[in-house]
Amino acid sequence: MKWEKISLGPLQTNGFVLYKDGEGLMIDPGGSEEKLFQLLDDKKITVKAILLTHAHFDHIGGVEAVRTKYQCPVYVHKDEAEWLTDPTLNGSALFLREEAITSEKADHVFSKEGSYTISGFQFELLETPGHSPGSVSYYFAEEKIVFSGDVLFHGGVGRTDLPGGDHDTLMTTLHEKMLQLPDETIVANGHGPETLIGKEKEHNPFINGFGW
């Protein structure tokens, strides 16, 4: 499996294209559809499914464009299934006002953690709430990479001051889920550069010393 990062939408959110043999998964299409489609066309990738780490507006702005172009299903956690259609829940009514972002409902909702195979891509779904109630991370053990949305960043952690966010829940998520992954795991997050689990254990000021 190969993967590409691309900055999309009003907040330049990291979207990720995972692909092999011309078929791919799209994680968090935040917007900027023309830019995204150019990348997909250049790489000759057909998107087979859209996976959302969570449903804040800056991660879902391009959902309908990608779903329509490729006629592919959308997956989101059940705790944020209603956020796609509601700009108040996804935050765009607050931050973008007249340019509120919505999409149609997801085609599938994740209801529990576990191993999943979608269009030939196998991964572990981790429930990683705190930044938002339905945040999930997609862990590809063979490739040693986790696509974590806005849970853990290079030198930082996700904000918890938005509706549905909770600091204590986020700290539990980091301790019990993210930091349990192998140290060499790449953290491909929603904003900024990638990092490594081991690096964040040692140097992240928000979690350094939290049980380690």
Side-chain angles (χ1 to χ4, degrees), residues 103-124:
S103 79
E104 298 299 319
K105 291 183 177 181
D107 302 280
H108 303 283
V109 295
F110 294 116
S111 60
K112 60 181 180 180
E113 294 184 321
S115 297
Y116 290 83
T117 300
I118 296 177
S119 298
F121 294 83
Q122 185 174 9
F123 58 87
E124 291 290 324

Side-chain angles (χ1 to χ4, degrees), residues 27-93:
I27 297 178
D28 292 353
S32 308
E33 294 88 349
E34 291 185 6
K35 178 181 178 182
L36 174 59
F37 291 156
Q38 186 64 59
L39 170 67
L40 295 168
D41 290 344
D42 289 346
K43 298 287 185 180
K44 296 181 171 56
I45 299 168
T46 298
V47 175
K48 306 301 289 185
I50 298 168
L51 307 182
L52 300 176
T53 62
H54 63 296
H56 280 147
F57 71 92
D58 56 315
H59 291 253
I60 67 170
V63 164
E64 281 311 306
V66 177
R67 173 159 46 184
T68 298
K69 180 176 176 66
Y70 295 101
Q71 293 297 295
C72 60
V74 175
Y75 292 76
V76 71
H77 190 272
K78 63 180 177 62
D79 289 345
E80 293 182 20
E82 300 303 318
W83 291 30
L84 294 174
T85 61
D86 190 333
T88 301
L89 292 174
N90 67 44
S92 60

